[in-house]
Amino acid sequence: MWYAILSIDRKDSLAARRAARPAHLARLEALRDAGRLRLAGPLPAIDADDPGPAGFVGSLIVAEFASLEAARAWADEDPYIAAGVYARVDIWPFKLALP
């Protein structure tokens, strides 16, 4: 089943986000390579492709997991968690309607 993982950054997390980004992307690339990633990306703090020092307010990932527990276990191992980027991570089942 697909799951939406919505992660909200803690205040002033940009430096930690930048430092942990390569490891974070490597995990997403592994999901992509396994055919289990639908979409992933950061949520800019301002209406711009490159928010600069404004940074990001969070991230959204839609990926396939065997269960909600498996999605939670995967999310809990995110390098952004270890780096203290995220203040909160919410996960919900996701029903793909389009495209």
Side-chain angles (χ1 to χ4, degrees), residues 1-3 31 34-38 61-67 70-71:
M1 177 164 205
W2 295 104
Y3 292 89
L31 276 181
R36 296 175 42 213
L37 182 65
R38 184 69 183 177
I61 298 168
V62 176
E64 187 176 34
F65 294 94
S67 65

Side-chain angles (χ1 to χ4, degrees), residues 73-97:
W74 185 88
D76 286 347
E77 295 297 319
D78 194 308
Y80 282 174
I81 296 279
V85 172
Y86 295 146
R88 187 177 91 231
V89 177
D90 295 319
I91 304 173
W92 299 278
F94 180 80
K95 183 168 174 38
L96 182 64

Side-chain angles (χ1 to χ4, degrees), residues 16-61:
R17 179 182 267 274
R18 285 180 175 152
R21 187 170 189 262
H24 171 78
L25 289 179
R27 294 181 80 237
L28 291 171
E29 289 165 352
L31 276 181
R32 179 200 61 205
D33 294 348
R36 296 175 42 213
L37 182 65
R38 184 69 183 177
L39 64 89
L43 306 171
I46 60 174
D47 190 12
D49 284 338
D50 181 357
F56 301 90
V57 296
S59 302
L60 174 64
I61 298 168

